[in-house]
Amino acid sequence: MGSCTTSGGSVSLVMEHRCGKIIPPIWVLCCFINGIKLMSYLPPPPPPLCLSGADNGIKPRDAWVDIMRVLAMLFIMIQHTPTHHSPVTGMTRAGVFFFFMAAGYFLARNYAAASSPVSWLNWKKAALILCAYVFWIFVSMALFGFPSTLLGWMANMGIGHVPLGVILWFLRDLMVFVLISGILFRIPRPCLAVLCLAALIPFSTESSIRLTFQYGDMACNIIHPRGLGAFALGMLLSPYSLKELKDMVEKAWVYVLIVFPAVFAWEVYHRGHESALFLCMGVLWIASCSLLATRYFRKFSSFCARLGPSIFLVYAAHTLVYRFLIRLGLPEGSYWMWGLAVPAVFLVLSGVYFLLGRICPGVLRYIALKS
């Protein structure tokens, strides 16, 4: 009987060990399947290079821009995976930089096309971002626990500290930049260029590593100057239409695809902190890859472009899903499993976005910044 008990115990241990290795891939597969099912809530496929809306009197979306959003978001999701970050993940750091640039560019384009005078402070759009920011902060606190002190509440809300959920610092900074965007739009372009350089270059050097988010007593825990530089750079590019920018990228994409790996290799092996040149080259690399996708992979690029409107919800919620997957047993150091999990999580959250768009579309304006 004693030997039988020992044998049964060993069998149970073996089964438990095997199940521990089998369950995480099953959860990743389930994410893929559920994401594909939720994709049924996507709107009908638009033309390859111009998204729907023109027939309804709404300004159509540009597929090139939406593919850039999707690619930048995938880079950000790769950067946030709980794996041992290799030098390759350094290529993903241009994702947030691109989103700041895009926000500044499109706001300035809207201001230039407005018939009424531009106000100094954009309270309306900043209030919408604040609603989304507070919503996702409370979602994070509901999952991780509410603070018991006033200082804890201030820290969780990102006042003097990185906000709860870590990634929500982007919303906090974007809210401030959008609020003062009218001021930035009104100042002369040479002054805006000086502000852009002053925000980018000093905070993209070796000494600026002391000004990053892991230092709780630094002022950059409130607003990161490099984000302001990217936002101002987007506003500086606003006199050029999307077609003009696309034509520029089309003329230079070969050089970008050749030069960026060289810049990346130099940064990885000679610097401890990415430079402004690296981030700008990364944005150009994203733009070049998106341009090639629209040219040579039209069906795939059309599908990716349709996911563009869901990017904000994916950004705000993807790390929460990561923690859920870790609790389910997905190993933190497995590159191939997290490589599968990233697109699976992206598809699932995009499906949730379009599902909410069918059920309660008005909510998306306040939690996913749907315009």
Side-chain angles (χ1 to χ4, degrees):
M1 292 293 293
S3 61
C4 289
T5 304
T6 304
S7 176
S10 62
V11 170
S12 64
L13 288 174
V14 171
M15 291 299 295
E16 182 179 355
H17 177 70
R18 290 180 178 175
C19 289
K21 290 188 175 181
I22 293 173
I23 288 177
I26 292 176
W27 277 107
V28 173
L29 180 61
C30 289
C31 284
F32 268 118
I33 295 173
N34 290 330
I36 292 172
K37 288 181 178 179
L38 288 171
M39 286 300 104
S40 62
Y41 293 98
L42 276 170
L49 297 178
C50 185
L51 297 186
S52 58
D55 295 338
N56 300 325
I58 303 173
K59 186 178 180 180
R61 300 177 66 95
D62 191 292
W64 178 55
V65 176
D66 278 322
I67 294 172
M68 281 194 285
R69 289 190 176 111
V70 171
L71 188 57
M73 187 65 244
L74 287 172
F75 282 166
I76 292 171
M77 293 178 70
I78 292 171
Q79 182 183 347
H80 292 155
T81 53
T83 57
H84 302 291
H85 284 206
S86 65
V88 177
T89 58
M91 297 177 65
T92 66
R93 297 188 182 276
V96 173
F97 193 86
F98 163 76
F99 284 125
F100 278 128
M101 280 185 61
Y105 174 82
F106 286 109
L107 261 181
R109 295 283 295 179
N110 291 338
Y111 289 158
S115 56
S116 57
V118 177
S119 59
W120 290 90
L121 298 175
N122 193 337
W123 293 102
K124 184 177 180 180
K125 287 189 177 295
L128 285 176
I129 300 175
L130 177 62
C131 289
Y133 178 69
V134 172
F135 172 80
W136 289 107
I137 288 287
F138 271 83
V139 168
S140 300
M141 286 194 291
L143 295 175
F144 307 131
F146 289 89
S148 57
T149 63
L150 178 60
L151 290 178
W153 278 91
M154 292 176 62
N156 284 357
M157 295 299 295
I159 302 175
H161 295 270
V162 180
L164 186 64
V166 182
I167 61 170
L168 296 178
W169 68 267
F170 168 77
L171 286 186
R172 178 199 61 192
D173 292 11
L174 181 63
M175 175 177 59
V176 175
F177 302 155
V178 169
L179 179 63
I180 65 172
S181 58
I183 299 175
L184 298 177
F185 181 75
R186 286 170 174 264
I187 65 177
R189 288 179 59 80
C191 297
L192 185 62
V194 171
L195 174 64
C196 175
L197 294 175
L200 285 179
I201 295 178
F203 293 92
S204 299
T205 61
E206 290 293 334
S207 60
S208 69
I209 194 69
R210 298 179 178 273
L211 299 174
T212 51
F213 295 102
Q214 62 264 31
Y215 293 86
D217 57 345
M218 293 295 176
C220 289
N221 277 326
I222 302 174
I223 297 295
H224 202 301
R226 198 165 63 183
L228 177 61
F231 190 86
L233 180 59
M235 298 191 82
L236 285 172
L237 293 174
S238 63
Y240 301 97
S241 66
L242 283 177
K243 184 181 182 305
E244 291 173 321
L245 293 178
K246 191 186 299 184
D247 291 340
M248 295 177 191
V249 174
E250 191 167 0
K251 294 176 182 178
W253 68 266
V254 175
Y255 304 101
V256 171
L257 295 183
I258 294 174
V259 172
F260 178 71
V263 174
F264 168 72
W266 185 86
E267 293 262 342
V268 167
Y269 294 105
H270 294 85
R271 296 173 56 88
H273 195 54
E274 63 274 3
S275 66
L277 172 64
F278 173 82
L279 295 171
C280 292
M281 286 296 299
V283 172
L284 284 174
W285 189 83
I286 292 173
S288 300
C289 291
S290 303
L291 182 67
L292 293 179
T294 59
R295 180 184 297 177
Y296 297 110
F297 306 98
R298 286 182 173 267
K299 290 185 178 180
F300 179 74
S301 63
S302 178
F303 172 77
C304 290
R306 289 159 60 198
L307 303 178
S310 66
I311 290 302
F312 174 79
L313 188 141
V314 175
Y315 179 88
H318 73 275
T319 56
L320 302 178
V321 179
Y322 283 179
R323 296 201 180 194
F324 178 70
L325 291 176
I326 292 172
R327 290 187 180 183
L328 292 178
L330 196 66
E332 297 188 22
S334 176
Y335 287 100
W336 73 270
M337 293 185 67
W338 281 102
L340 294 175
V342 165
V345 171
F346 190 103
L347 288 175
V348 169
L349 292 176
S350 295
V352 170
Y353 173 89
F354 291 109
L355 177 61
L356 289 175
R358 292 284 187 89
I359 299 173
C360 45
V363 174
L364 293 178
R365 177 177 174 84
Y366 301 99
I367 69 172
L369 300 183
K370 181 181 180 181
S371 56

